[in-house]
Amino acid sequence: QSVLSEHLIRLDNNQFYDFYNGAFVRRRALVPSLLPSEGPLSPLYDITYNIERATSGVFNLRAAGNNLDYDVTWGDGTTENSAAAVLPHTYAAPGIYVVGIDSDRVYRPRYANNGAGSITSIAIGPDALLGSNLIRAWQGASLLTSFSCPSVVSSTWANISFAFGRTGFTSFPLLDVSSITNFASSWADCPKLANWPANFFNVTGPLNSAAFDLTWLNCALSAQSIENILVSLDTNGQSGITLALQGGTNANTSTWSAAADTAYVNLVGKGWTITQNGPAPV
């Protein structure tokens, strides 16, 4: 089944015709949306992976937790139901495949630097149940450059430490992180991550003292991105936290804006300990 909205024609609120695959598509709890000519449809699956296979061979879905029960469309014409934490699938040829995962139970991805290297994009559907703990969810997805998730899902997360570390992002989208209490190492060792949106951390859950430890270690944050991060954390108003902005090609303090310098000084005044490339602003 295609998951691209431009390939789907709505027949009614619960059925679509996929003219790319020549099949009728039904999905439980599919949110009624616009016709393709008017805008995008809601994602067809709870989780959609685009994976790029340079060769034939095995790709593993990896999840954590008990009581798993999920359906998979592998993108090569095969589907299956599984309760396995590690589910292998063999692709007969290299190519780009769209993998869809659906579950009525909590399905929490956990790659933890093991086998995510061929994932290039991730789209989370509005009725996905990922749980509150996404520790190391997609860590090590070195080709991952695109991520989307609706607020109704991301607002339920509490811990995303290491979740996006060692990925291929050049930018990251704005998410609802209003319940998250731990961002430690969340984007560590992302050497291409340069662009970060404003207002990302204006509202979070209660932050522990290590909530931003090594969060952007060895990234490529621009001076504007660092301003966006510092100003948002200053707006958040919490105190006594460790923040890592050092390493990689993260912008040196000599290139920072006055707004970034001011936010930095404000945070230090609230008991933050910040490490960065270059001397501390004063």
Short mmCIF file of all heavy atoms in Angstrom, two decimals, residues 248-278:
data_model
loop_
_atom_site.label_atom_id
_atom_site.label_comp_id
_atom_site.label_asym_id
_atom_site.label_seq_id
_atom_site.Cartn_x
_atom_site.Cartn_y
_atom_site.Cartn_z
N GLY A 248 32.10 19.32 17.92
CA GLY A 248 31.72 19.38 16.52
C GLY A 248 31.99 20.74 15.92
O GLY A 248 33.01 21.37 16.21
N THR A 249 31.07 21.21 15.10
CA THR A 249 31.19 22.54 14.50
C THR A 249 30.10 23.47 15.03
O THR A 249 29.69 24.41 14.34
CB THR A 249 31.13 22.45 12.97
OG1 THR A 249 29.92 21.81 12.56
CG2 THR A 249 32.32 21.69 12.42
N ASN A 250 29.59 23.20 16.22
CA ASN A 250 28.65 24.12 16.84
C ASN A 250 29.26 25.52 16.88
O ASN A 250 30.45 25.69 17.16
CB ASN A 250 28.32 23.67 18.26
CG ASN A 250 27.41 22.45 18.30
OD1 ASN A 250 26.61 22.24 17.41
ND2 ASN A 250 27.56 21.64 19.35
N ALA A 251 28.45 26.53 16.62
CA ALA A 251 28.93 27.90 16.48
C ALA A 251 29.70 28.35 17.73
O ALA A 251 29.24 28.18 18.86
CB ALA A 251 27.77 28.85 16.22
N ASN A 252 30.86 28.92 17.49
CA ASN A 252 31.69 29.47 18.56
C ASN A 252 31.03 30.71 19.15
O ASN A 252 30.31 31.44 18.45
CB ASN A 252 33.07 29.82 17.99
CG ASN A 252 34.07 30.17 19.06
OD1 ASN A 252 34.07 31.29 19.58
ND2 ASN A 252 34.95 29.23 19.37
N THR A 253 31.29 30.97 20.41
CA THR A 253 30.67 32.13 21.06
C THR A 253 31.03 33.45 20.39
O THR A 253 30.29 34.43 20.52
CB THR A 253 31.09 32.20 22.54
OG1 THR A 253 32.52 32.16 22.63
CG2 THR A 253 30.53 31.03 23.33
N SER A 254 32.13 33.48 19.66
CA SER A 254 32.52 34.71 18.96
C SER A 254 31.52 35.09 17.88
O SER A 254 31.52 36.24 17.41
CB SER A 254 33.91 34.55 18.35
OG SER A 254 33.92 33.52 17.38
N THR A 255 30.68 34.14 17.46
CA THR A 255 29.69 34.41 16.40
C THR A 255 28.27 34.57 16.95
O THR A 255 27.35 34.82 16.19
CB THR A 255 29.69 33.27 15.37
OG1 THR A 255 29.17 32.07 15.96
CG2 THR A 255 31.09 33.00 14.84
N TRP A 256 28.10 34.43 18.25
CA TRP A 256 26.77 34.48 18.82
C TRP A 256 26.18 35.88 18.78
O TRP A 256 26.90 36.88 18.78
CB TRP A 256 26.78 34.01 20.28
CG TRP A 256 27.03 32.54 20.47
CD1 TRP A 256 27.44 31.63 19.54
CD2 TRP A 256 26.89 31.82 21.70
NE1 TRP A 256 27.56 30.39 20.11
CE2 TRP A 256 27.24 30.48 21.44
CE3 TRP A 256 26.53 32.19 23.01
CZ2 TRP A 256 27.22 29.49 22.43
CZ3 TRP A 256 26.51 31.22 24.00
CH2 TRP A 256 26.84 29.88 23.71
N SER A 257 24.85 35.93 18.79
CA SER A 257 24.14 37.21 18.81
C SER A 257 24.07 37.76 20.23
O SER A 257 24.30 37.05 21.23
CB SER A 257 22.72 37.02 18.28
OG SER A 257 21.98 36.19 19.17
N ALA A 258 23.71 39.03 20.33
CA ALA A 258 23.51 39.64 21.65
C ALA A 258 22.40 38.94 22.41
O ALA A 258 22.48 38.77 23.63
CB ALA A 258 23.20 41.13 21.48
N ALA A 259 21.36 38.49 21.69
CA ALA A 259 20.25 37.79 22.35
C ALA A 259 20.71 36.47 22.94
O ALA A 259 20.28 36.08 24.03
CB ALA A 259 19.12 37.56 21.35
N ALA A 260 21.59 35.77 22.22
CA ALA A 260 22.14 34.51 22.73
C ALA A 260 22.98 34.76 23.97
O ALA A 260 22.89 34.04 24.97
CB ALA A 260 22.94 33.81 21.65
N ASP A 261 23.84 35.79 23.90
CA ASP A 261 24.68 36.13 25.05
C ASP A 261 23.83 36.45 26.28
O ASP A 261 24.11 36.00 27.40
CB ASP A 261 25.57 37.33 24.73
CG ASP A 261 26.65 37.00 23.71
OD1 ASP A 261 26.87 35.80 23.44
OD2 ASP A 261 27.28 37.96 23.19
N THR A 262 22.79 37.24 26.07
CA THR A 262 21.92 37.63 27.19
C THR A 262 21.23 36.42 27.80
O THR A 262 21.17 36.26 29.04
CB THR A 262 20.88 38.64 26.72
OG1 THR A 262 21.54 39.82 26.26
CG2 THR A 262 19.91 39.00 27.85
N ALA A 263 20.71 35.54 26.96
CA ALA A 263 20.03 34.34 27.46
C ALA A 263 21.01 33.44 28.21
O ALA A 263 20.66 32.86 29.25
CB ALA A 263 19.39 33.58 26.30
N TYR A 264 22.24 33.33 27.70
CA TYR A 264 23.28 32.54 28.37
C TYR A 264 23.52 33.08 29.78
O TYR A 264 23.53 32.32 30.76
CB TYR A 264 24.55 32.59 27.54
CG TYR A 264 25.72 31.78 28.08
CD1 TYR A 264 26.07 30.57 27.50
CD2 TYR A 264 26.48 32.23 29.16
CE1 TYR A 264 27.14 29.83 27.98
CE2 TYR A 264 27.55 31.50 29.65
CZ TYR A 264 27.87 30.30 29.05
OH TYR A 264 28.93 29.56 29.54
N VAL A 265 23.74 34.38 29.88
CA VAL A 265 24.01 35.00 31.18
C VAL A 265 22.82 34.81 32.12
O VAL A 265 22.98 34.53 33.32
CB VAL A 265 24.36 36.48 31.01
CG1 VAL A 265 24.43 37.20 32.35
CG2 VAL A 265 25.68 36.63 30.24
N ASN A 266 21.61 34.95 31.58
CA ASN A 266 20.41 34.74 32.39
C ASN A 266 20.35 33.32 32.95
O ASN A 266 20.01 33.11 34.12
CB ASN A 266 19.15 35.02 31.58
CG ASN A 266 18.96 36.49 31.25
OD1 ASN A 266 19.61 37.36 31.85
ND2 ASN A 266 18.09 36.77 30.30
N LEU A 267 20.66 32.33 32.09
CA LEU A 267 20.61 30.93 32.53
C LEU A 267 21.66 30.65 33.59
O LEU A 267 21.37 29.99 34.60
CB LEU A 267 20.80 30.00 31.32
CG LEU A 267 19.63 29.95 30.34
CD1 LEU A 267 20.03 29.23 29.06
CD2 LEU A 267 18.42 29.26 30.96
N VAL A 268 22.86 31.16 33.39
CA VAL A 268 23.90 30.98 34.41
C VAL A 268 23.44 31.58 35.74
O VAL A 268 23.67 31.02 36.82
CB VAL A 268 25.23 31.59 33.93
CG1 VAL A 268 26.24 31.63 35.07
CG2 VAL A 268 25.78 30.79 32.76
N GLY A 269 22.75 32.71 35.66
CA GLY A 269 22.22 33.33 36.87
C GLY A 269 21.15 32.49 37.54
O GLY A 269 20.89 32.65 38.74
N LYS A 270 20.55 31.57 36.79
CA LYS A 270 19.55 30.65 37.35
C LYS A 270 20.19 29.32 37.77
O LYS A 270 19.47 28.36 38.07
CB LYS A 270 18.45 30.37 36.33
CG LYS A 270 17.63 31.59 35.94
CD LYS A 270 16.70 31.27 34.77
CE LYS A 270 15.99 32.53 34.28
NZ LYS A 270 15.17 32.27 33.06
N GLY A 271 21.52 29.28 37.77
CA GLY A 271 22.20 28.08 38.24
C GLY A 271 22.51 27.04 37.18
O GLY A 271 22.90 25.92 37.50
N TRP A 272 22.37 27.42 35.91
CA TRP A 272 22.71 26.50 34.83
C TRP A 272 24.23 26.40 34.69
O TRP A 272 24.95 27.39 34.87
CB TRP A 272 22.12 26.98 33.50
CG TRP A 272 20.64 26.76 33.37
CD1 TRP A 272 19.66 27.30 34.15
CD2 TRP A 272 19.97 25.95 32.40
NE1 TRP A 272 18.42 26.88 33.73
CE2 TRP A 272 18.58 26.05 32.65
CE3 TRP A 272 20.40 25.17 31.33
CZ2 TRP A 272 17.63 25.39 31.88
CZ3 TRP A 272 19.46 24.51 30.57
CH2 TRP A 272 18.08 24.61 30.84
N THR A 273 24.71 25.20 34.32
CA THR A 273 26.10 24.98 33.95
C THR A 273 26.15 24.67 32.48
O THR A 273 25.61 23.64 32.04
CB THR A 273 26.71 23.82 34.76
OG1 THR A 273 26.64 24.12 36.15
CG2 THR A 273 28.16 23.59 34.37
N ILE A 274 26.77 25.55 31.68
CA ILE A 274 26.73 25.44 30.22
C ILE A 274 28.13 25.28 29.68
O ILE A 274 29.05 26.02 30.07
CB ILE A 274 26.06 26.69 29.60
CG1 ILE A 274 24.69 26.94 30.22
CG2 ILE A 274 25.94 26.53 28.08
CD1 ILE A 274 24.01 28.22 29.77
N THR A 275 28.31 24.33 28.78
CA THR A 275 29.58 24.17 28.07
C THR A 275 29.34 24.45 26.60
O THR A 275 28.31 24.08 26.03
CB THR A 275 30.13 22.74 28.24
OG1 THR A 275 29.10 21.78 27.93
CG2 THR A 275 30.62 22.51 29.66
N GLN A 276 30.30 25.12 25.95
CA GLN A 276 30.14 25.60 24.58
C GLN A 276 31.50 25.75 23.93
O GLN A 276 32.54 25.65 24.58
CB GLN A 276 29.39 26.95 24.57
CG GLN A 276 30.19 28.12 25.15
CD GLN A 276 30.34 28.09 26.63
OE1 GLN A 276 29.37 27.76 27.33
NE2 GLN A 276 31.53 28.42 27.13
N ASN A 277 31.48 25.96 22.63
CA ASN A 277 32.72 26.25 21.91
C ASN A 277 33.05 27.74 22.06
O ASN A 277 32.29 28.59 21.62
CB ASN A 277 32.57 25.89 20.43
CG ASN A 277 32.45 24.39 20.20
OD1 ASN A 277 32.86 23.60 21.05
ND2 ASN A 277 31.92 23.99 19.05
N GLY A 278 34.17 28.04 22.67
CA GLY A 278 34.56 29.41 22.90
C GLY A 278 34.33 29.83 24.34
O GLY A 278 33.68 29.14 25.13
#
